[in-house]
Structure formats: structure tokens, C-alpha cells
Amino acid sequence: MAKELTFEEKINALYKLIDKSKNIVVLTGAGISVPSGIPDFRSASGLYSTPYGNYPPEVMISHDFFYEHTEEFYRFYKEKMLFPKAKANPAHECLASLEKMGKLKAVITQNIDGLHQKGGSKTVYEIHGSVHRNYCTRCGKFFDLNYVMKYDGIPKCDDCRATIKPDVVLYGESLDQDILRKVIRAIDDADMFIVIGTSLVVYPAAGLLDYFEGDRIVLINKGQTTYDQRADLIINEDCAKVAEELMKKFK
């Protein structure tokens, strides 16, 4: 049995893999935003484990629930899913730095919090949308997060008075096919794939790794993932801690 690498040895191995890569793609999940104070979904303290009202959280963030119980949807959404004061953490900033170096070509994220952009990343594919974009269900006019946060009750369009919907993918809705095509193209061109903060159990995002034909896969997640056997390097540590140590290597 191979000897388990120490944390320092894993950081060194990660640095070497990045150093010889020219086209890195990163897939991120809820775990990358936990150090910023945003809860994940499936841990003991995650969103799905927190009782709220008369419905499970998975039901309350579904397409049908939004249209059938709009007021209750927004009550839950504003209290449990919006974190306007959250700041990018070292993991987000590390990815932005790798992009500036020309190493990282795209961030693919399941997150809707916009923290990758706050951290400085430019090429970000938000496959589940973003809380920072909200649109009128009738005329299509867009509104920012501040407009939704400050609105008392169900947010309404200031032009036509129709209901505003967050530009996020709710349960029962399809992903944006144009974004998916761009994501698959980016993965197909990549020579290294890094997965951060996701256990890779939610599809179709979890299946994106199947499009990767390169030879360097790194998984950075506190727990095990369904793709551990395919990985060249696994780091089961806090992603912000990993990022801080990694960036020391580039200085």
C-alpha cells in the first residue's frame, strides 16, 4: 500500500501539476464558499438539514413551489439563500490569480453567490445561475440583488408590475444549454481538471468530469467524492487553507 502523503507533500504535488499545465479548468461547488460564511447543502449544518416552515428546503427551491407559493418561496430565499455581505475567500482569490497567470482558462461553478467574480475571476460559467441577476417574468427587465433584498414581499417589476424571478436554476428547471456547450468545450480543451468543494453527486454537473480527456485530475474536498478513484491527487482539507499554502509556492 502506498504511503499517504502529508499535507505539505500534497501541496507540493498540486503545485507541480499546475506548473506543468497550460489549460486548467476548475469545477466548484458549495464547499468553496463555506469559508466565506455561506452554508453548504448536505452537511449536518447545511441548508437541507435546517428545518424551515412546512416544506423541505428542496421543495421550497423548486420551479413549482416558486409559482404556487411565491411569497413563501421569497421568505425562505431571502432568509436562507442570500448572503450579500459575503466576501471572496483565499480559494476564490487563488483561482483568480491562476487565471491572471494564464494557467486557468475557466471556472465552472454550481454556486449562485457570485463570489468568484468578487474574487477577481473573469471567465466564470455559472451553470445554476446567479442571485445577482433577477428578471421580470413578463417583460424580461433585469434587476440586481439589492432591488430584490429591499423589496417588501414578492418583488415586482417597476415597469409592468409582474413578479420578478431570480435567474437561478430551480429544481424542475433545465440548465442553460448555451452555457453547457461552452462548459463542455472548455473541458474538452483542458489539460488539467481541478474539482473544489463538491462531492460530485448532483447531476448533470457531476457528469462534467466525464468529458475530460486530459491526464491530470485533482479533487479538493473535505469528504470523499464519487470520482476519487480517477483522481491523480486528492486533498481532503479546507479549500481556503489549501489555497493559502498553494499561493505561497507562486511567490
Side-chain angles (χ1 to χ4, degrees):
M1 181 179 294
K3 173 177 168 288
E4 173 70 16
L5 298 177
T6 66
F7 177 67
E8 184 177 355
E9 287 171 336
K10 288 183 177 181
I11 296 298
N12 286 333
L14 177 58
Y15 170 76
K16 290 177 182 177
L17 288 172
I18 291 173
D19 189 50
K20 65 182 181 180
S21 299
K22 297 179 180 179
N23 194 329
I24 302 170
V25 168
V26 175
L27 171 65
T28 67
I32 196 172
S33 294
V34 169
S36 295
I38 299 179
D40 61 10
F41 289 86
R42 291 172 176 79
S43 70
S45 58
L47 184 67
Y48 291 168
S49 303
T50 307
Y52 188 96
N54 300 318
Y55 303 92
E58 301 98 308
V59 171
M60 299 184 78
I61 52 177
S62 69
H63 173 90
D64 290 346
F65 194 89
F66 173 81
Y67 284 101
E68 294 169 7
H69 307 275
T70 310
E71 187 171 3
E72 196 158 1
F73 167 88
Y74 265 112
R75 192 180 306 120
F76 174 79
Y77 180 70
K78 288 182 178 181
E79 290 184 16
K80 297 294 184 179
M81 298 188 68
L82 299 182
F83 299 86
K85 295 182 180 179
K87 297 179 180 179
N89 65 57
H92 298 108
E93 294 165 354
C94 173
L95 297 183
S97 294
L98 291 175
E99 184 180 39
K100 289 177 183 176
M101 293 176 199
K103 293 284 188 180
L104 194 154
K105 303 302 182 180
V107 173
I108 306 159
T109 186
Q110 301 173 75
N111 300 337
I112 58 176
D113 51 42
L115 290 185
H116 283 295
Q117 290 88 337
K118 282 188 178 181
S121 290
K122 303 300 182 185
T123 303
V124 182
Y125 297 122
E126 298 169 308
I127 58 176
H128 291 160
S130 172
V131 299
H132 295 278
R133 297 187 301 272
N134 305 272
Y135 64 91
C136 174
T137 53
R138 181 183 297 155
C139 72
K141 182 177 179 179
F142 271 83
F143 299 86
D144 62 15
L145 178 58
N146 188 53
Y147 185 91
V148 170
M149 290 289 295
K150 289 187 174 183
Y151 208 101
D152 187 20
I154 301 173
K156 299 289 184 180
C157 176
D158 58 5
D159 279 348
C160 71
R161 307 308 301 164
T163 298
I164 292 171
K165 182 183 181 295
D167 190 17
V168 300
V169 179
L170 304 177
Y171 282 109
E173 296 180 340
S174 300
L175 302 187
D176 185 306
Q177 293 303 302
D178 183 53
I179 291 178
L180 274 182
R181 282 191 290 270
K182 293 177 180 177
V183 163
I184 292 170
R185 192 178 304 123
I187 294 171
D188 190 52
D189 291 340
D191 60 8
M192 182 175 181
F193 200 129
I194 304 175
V195 178
I196 304 175
T198 173
S199 53
L200 294 171
V201 296
V202 177
Y203 283 83
L208 292 176
L209 202 53
D210 293 333
Y211 291 96
F212 179 64
E213 297 183 353
D215 58 359
R216 293 187 280 278
I217 297 176
V218 176
L219 305 178
I220 303 172
N221 192 55
K222 280 193 172 182
Q224 292 182 328
T225 81
T226 55
Y227 282 81
D228 280 9
Q229 290 186 331
R230 282 190 60 186
D232 298 279
L233 178 64
I234 300 171
I235 306 180
N236 297 132
E237 296 282 353
D238 178 278
C239 58
K241 177 183 176 184
V242 172
E244 287 176 332
E245 293 304 312
L246 175 63
M247 292 314 297
K248 292 177 183 178
K249 302 288 183 180
F250 286 97
K251 293 180 179 178

